[in-house]
Amino acid sequence: MSKKIILTGDRPTGKLHLGHYVGSLKRRVELQNSGEFDDIFIMIADAQALTDNADNPEKVRENIIEVALDYLSVGLDPAKSTLFVQSYVQELTELTFYYSNLVTVARLQRNPTVKSEIQMRNFEASIPVGFFTYPISQAADITAFKATTVPVGEDQLPMLEQTKEIVRSFNRIYGEALVEPEILLPDNAACLRLPGTDGKAKMSKSLGNCIYLSDDAKTLKKKVMSMYTDPDHIRIEDPGKVEGNCVFTYLDAFCKDEYFEEFWPEYNNLQEVKDHYKRGGLGDVKCKKFLIKVLNKELAPIRERRAKYEQDIAYVYQVLEEGSKRAREVAQATLADVKAQMQINYFEDKELIQRHIERYQK
Ligand code: ATP
Ligand code: MG
């Protein structure tokens, strides 16, 4: 039977937030602990982070340890998952170079995620080439590990489509060497793309609208209390809207029925709260206070583990270094296959050399 392999990762452009958690991290830990996968690779995408932070290497450098701490805090286990740093696996850049011959500029321009990211960064007039082509480098990351499964948020759908197209082109032109991956999206609709605390479509490090996994209870409280709700819900008696109201989206993502008994026994489940809010007579503050309790409960074990690993930073770096070495070995083997299929393995190909000797033998 063919192997089941996971590859996924995050850009070290900041600490990881609730969007990462529900969109991908939580799923990774479940998959890791399911024992169903032959191999799991979790990548800190520093090279990709530099594509739109070329002038700020310090930011990337300082955040590698933060992302690694977040990984260990949510329960990724180095004994089960290989945690590694992208730039240490040089083979990925070589794969990117070869794959870029299989993709047109027009195809890259159609990528909706990249389009909106270009807008968000005001890159319209001056897009760095590396940023424009990062979907190709993501295809290299995924295929280097022969990943079958990529657990990510919805914004990654176009990247997975691009990867599949590259795999198909490669295998058609050069012969089967690459594996077509499947995207694994969160089952809970609220987790596909968790909005920011400002109500913007996506919680994102680049937008500064995040609740971080490493935020303490005080910071969390402040962020939730000033969170975007329904701007037309002015007086408590007014009917309120739950659609597009962050408090309810976050509750959809995090709340479990058992939390009502523990924190808000007047209701049995989230639907009852939503119905009351929609009828009118339920204020934002009560809902926010409940959300704070839910989030603190969910974050408690993560904060506890983080505090422990923060006391052993040398160990965390060692995990990344060892993981990067192991990841590199795997990528080297894939690159060797790729080069053989592309017929750019001249010195290993004794038959080729012999044929050329014979061509000129009198
Ligand atoms: P940046 O702003 O630097 O792009 P980001 O917050 O978008 O950072 P990434 O490192 O680009 O984070 O994304 C890492 C992973 O987390 C991806 O799988 C992405 O789909 C997922 N993810 C990021 N933000 C969210 C979100 N708000 N909701 C669901 N998933 C998310
Ligand atoms: Mg992003």
Side-chain angles (χ1 to χ4, degrees), residues 195-235:
T197 49
D198 55 358
K200 288 224 178 89
K202 183 174 173 272
M203 182 177 284
S204 163
K205 285 170 260 157
S206 308
L207 293 174
N209 57 5
C210 306
I211 295 178
Y212 294 100
L213 295 173
S214 48
D215 279 346
D216 59 22
K218 201 172 144 210
T219 312
L220 179 106
K221 184 174 171 198
K222 214 168 109 197
K223 289 184 178 175
V224 173
M225 290 318 276
S226 58
M227 204 154 150
Y228 179 88
T229 57
D230 170 7
D232 300 323
H233 186 236
I234 296 161
R235 289 166 309 168

Side-chain angles (χ1 to χ4, degrees), residues 11 117 121 155-156 202 204:
R11 296 152 38 94
E117 288 175 339
R121 289 163 174 74
D155 62 319
Q156 294 300 309
K202 183 174 173 272
S204 163

